[in-house]
Amino acid sequence: MGNKGTGNESANRNEGTDGLPVSLESCLLDLRQAEETIRQQQRLLYQSEAQHNLLFDSLDEGFCTVEVLFDNADQSIDYRFLKVNGVFEAQIGIENPLGRTMREIAPEHEQYWFEMLGRIALTGKSQRLEHWANALERFYDIYAFRVGDPMDRQVAILFKDITARKRQEELQAYLLRLNDALRSLSDPIQVQDVVTHLAMEYLGVDRCYYCEIEEGNAIIRRDAFRADLPSVANVYPLSDFPILSTVINAGHPFVVFDAHTTELLDDRLRQLCLQTQAISFVDIPVIKDDSPCGILCVTCCEPRKWRKEEIELARETAERTWIAVEQARAAEALRESEENYRAIVNQSIAGILKIGLEGNMLFTNDQFCRMLGYEGAELLAMHVNRIVYPEDHERNAAAFHGLVSEGRAYEIEKRFVRKEGAIIWVNNHVSPIFNNKGEVDAAVIVSIDITRQKELERQKDEFIGIASHELKTPITSIKAYGQILAAMIDQSSVPPTFTQLLAKMNAQIDRLIKLIYSLLNTSRIAGNQLTLQLEPINLNGLLEEHVRQGQLTTSRHRITFIGEELPPVMADVERMGQVMDNLISNAIKYAPKGGDVIVRAESRGGRVRVSVRDFGVGIPKEAQEKIFDRFYRINDASAGGTSGIGLGLYICREIISRHQGQMAVESIPDEGSTFYFELPVYTERQ
Ligand code: ADP
């Protein structure tokens, strides 16, 4: 506008009608004004340019304007830098580019770039792209567009060095691929196979392998290699391959750019590398707990300047390989141990069953299925009560309750019902399984089929029953004859030995009768035929009487009775006498050196407790329950080879339990034992 205004004024003031200057003065004036106008325009131009420069210089992206150079056939062959901003040099790594051409600066710059810029200069079509520039060794994000007169063939380029981001992305992608590939692998050798191939492809190397270090050897199980190279999979003693020892000793990535020239190798190692065409390589030792576990090796047949990120990637790969190999190994070991365990469990002659706390079956072995005649799947869908014989439910539930509430293992003999309805006897050892909080989580049952033993036992009981019954009548007669004989003898007319022998015979007959009655009682108990004549009695009198009788049989022991006022109990006098005889005679028998025997009776809140204490050989802890079993005896020299058949305590406990009472023992070996039982006090309401 200023321009226009000045022009009009000059027309008005200095020009004549024919357009010529009217005077020199006015001419000079015009000249000065024109000069001023030019200066003003230059100032404006300068300001605008300065503003542009300021703008470009403040960009954090690189910016340059280039003139694209073409050959005669209009093929773009080079470009010249016309203008660059402040960060240009930092982003592109070229110093003083102005006025120079790219071919001058980097002759190996790829053709691709010249073609692209030529296309933009000719067509005016701008382009946005991310691309690798080999000569500059960088990745660029570029926006290029034509500027100025198309005839000038100038292109402006806005660009950013994204090498770090790109490498990070590539690394991430590689690690993702590696992880994906490794996730599904459970074989350590396969792991090595996959890793080496992936790393070889990604790093563009000629060979990649992972050696496992085991007992002084480097073992390469799988390797990846260029088609024209041989595999190096083998076992190498570390002592024969000093390069591996060198890597292990280095303890960190061992990087060789060029085996011909590196100072890292001595002559011997250099020769070795050259022979095996390992011209440049990165070897990563994997060291765990101060001992070497593996080495990952990536090798090229040409010199190579390994970048920091490549070394880092190899290190990361080595670490992941080790982890994956270890995991695969652990999984393999677990699988093997599971197979072993499965084989043992399934070949066991015992049935094995795992049940949840609700009684649901969780696991059965083959033998358990065979014992019950069910398929495994059928059992797993059932509650355990379906296979327990109904009469044993209550006993079973009580024992299981103890396991759940107190974590107590137990042993039980009970019956199972097979699928087709047959009943089998089993001996079950039931143990708790605890969770990691220490709570009972489930139970494992080891079950042995004892049906056959039970049948043999039944036959034995039957035999004992018949035999003792058949023996009872003749022996009773013999006892009577003996007593008659003893009464008939005129002691003065027979020699003294005769009388002594008769007395001994009668004593032996008494022992025999006792024995036969024990056997008879046992078979009665087994056949549930032990009958009781119950009546309310006071135990004090009975106890005193049996203490007195017991004392008659020994001169080495002193048997004392300590009683108190007792309430009555409901009892069979004869059976209770039998119990007391047994306990007192045991106290005498198992205290062979003599000493005190104390029989005590006391009333304890609704129960009467009777105990027999001796100071004899005592009973080891592990036998204290077993002595109440049929025919169980402790073979201990300290008892002085006492005679007996191990039925006394069994019968005693049965008698007491038929009286609704309990019998037990407390004992310390070499100090003595206290056998006791408790009976409920009799009340009128009973
Ligand atoms: P027996 O005396 O005929 O062997 P019992 O059933 O009476 O049969 O006893 C079983 C076992 O218990 C005995 O063999 C003995 O080892 C042990 N026993 C019983 N009473 C005592 C006791 N008072 N002191 C030590 N051991 C005993």
Side-chain angles (χ1 to χ4, degrees), residues 586 589-590 614 619 627 632-634 644-646 648-649 673 675:
N586 275 354
K589 196 159 63 166
Y590 297 106
D614 66 59
I619 303 157
I627 54 173
Y632 186 87
R633 306 201 72 229
I634 301 170
I645 52 170
L649 289 177
S673 314
F675 282 85

Side-chain angles (χ1 to χ4, degrees), residues 424-641:
I424 58 166
W425 271 97
V426 289
N427 177 288
N428 284 359
H429 282 258
V430 189
S431 316
I433 298 176
F434 297 97
N435 62 16
N436 46 17
K437 286 190 224 140
E439 299 156 347
V440 179
D441 214 20
V444 63
I445 300 168
V446 177
S447 185
I448 307 267
D449 186 341
I450 54 165
T451 314
R452 192 165 152 64
Q453 284 104 297
K454 278 281 173 187
E455 176 55 19
L456 290 174
E457 231 170 69
R458 196 196 58 74
Q459 288 173 4
K460 189 177 71 189
D461 286 342
E462 201 174 44
F463 169 76
I464 292 173
I466 293 168
S468 51
H469 193 266
E470 291 301 315
L471 287 170
K472 198 179 68 170
T473 318
I475 200 70
T476 315
S477 305
I478 293 170
K479 181 180 163 84
Y481 298 143
Q483 281 171 342
I484 293 167
L485 265 181
M488 283 170 63
I489 282 173
D490 178 358
Q491 302 215 357
S492 58
S493 61
V494 293
T497 38
F498 188 90
T499 330
Q500 283 162 9
L501 283 173
L502 191 62
K504 277 190 179 168
M505 187 185 82
N506 280 338
Q508 291 302 330
I509 291 171
D510 280 343
R511 276 191 68 189
L512 198 57
I513 287 177
K514 257 192 171 174
L515 198 67
I516 290 169
Y517 271 87
S518 285
L519 291 172
L520 201 59
N521 282 331
T522 310
S523 74
R524 278 181 185 152
I525 289 167
N528 217 357
Q529 289 163 348
L530 190 78
T531 50
L532 299 179
Q533 304 293 324
L534 293 174
E535 54 181 320
I537 58 164
N538 188 308
L539 282 176
N540 273 335
L542 183 142
L543 299 175
E544 265 170 325
E545 173 56 19
H546 285 273
V547 165
R548 196 184 58 75
Q549 282 178 18
Q551 186 64 77
L552 289 179
T553 63
T554 173
S555 53
R556 302 171 71 183
H557 301 81
R558 192 177 59 175
I559 311 177
T560 321
F561 173 61
I562 304 172
E564 60 177 41
E565 192 73 24
L566 290 182
V569 293
M570 200 58 160
D572 179 320
V573 177
E574 206 174 313
R575 298 284 180 210
M576 288 314 294
Q578 198 181 335
V579 170
M580 286 315 295
D581 274 351
N582 234 306
L583 295 183
I584 293 170
S585 68
N586 275 354
I588 294 168
K589 196 159 63 166
Y590 297 106
K593 292 183 188 145
D596 277 324
V597 174
I598 301 163
V599 177
R600 184 190 292 268
E602 50 199 323
S603 167
R604 286 191 169 189
R607 300 178 83 75
V608 170
R609 177 185 164 110
V610 177
S611 59
V612 178
R613 177 168 190 200
D614 66 59
F615 298 88
V617 296
I619 303 157
K621 184 109 194 94
E622 63 280 6
Q624 288 178 10
E625 245 329 282
K626 294 184 187 150
I627 54 173
F628 294 98
D629 290 348
R630 273 200 304 179
F631 303 114
Y632 186 87
R633 306 201 72 229
I634 301 170
N635 287 326
D636 189 346
S638 63

Side-chain angles (χ1 to χ4, degrees), residues 12 47 83 89 230 264 389 413 450 487 510 566:
N12 294 340
Q47 271 173 5
K83 191 170 183 181
E89 284 187 16
L264 290 172
Y389 187 63
E413 279 189 9
I450 54 165
D510 280 343
L566 290 182

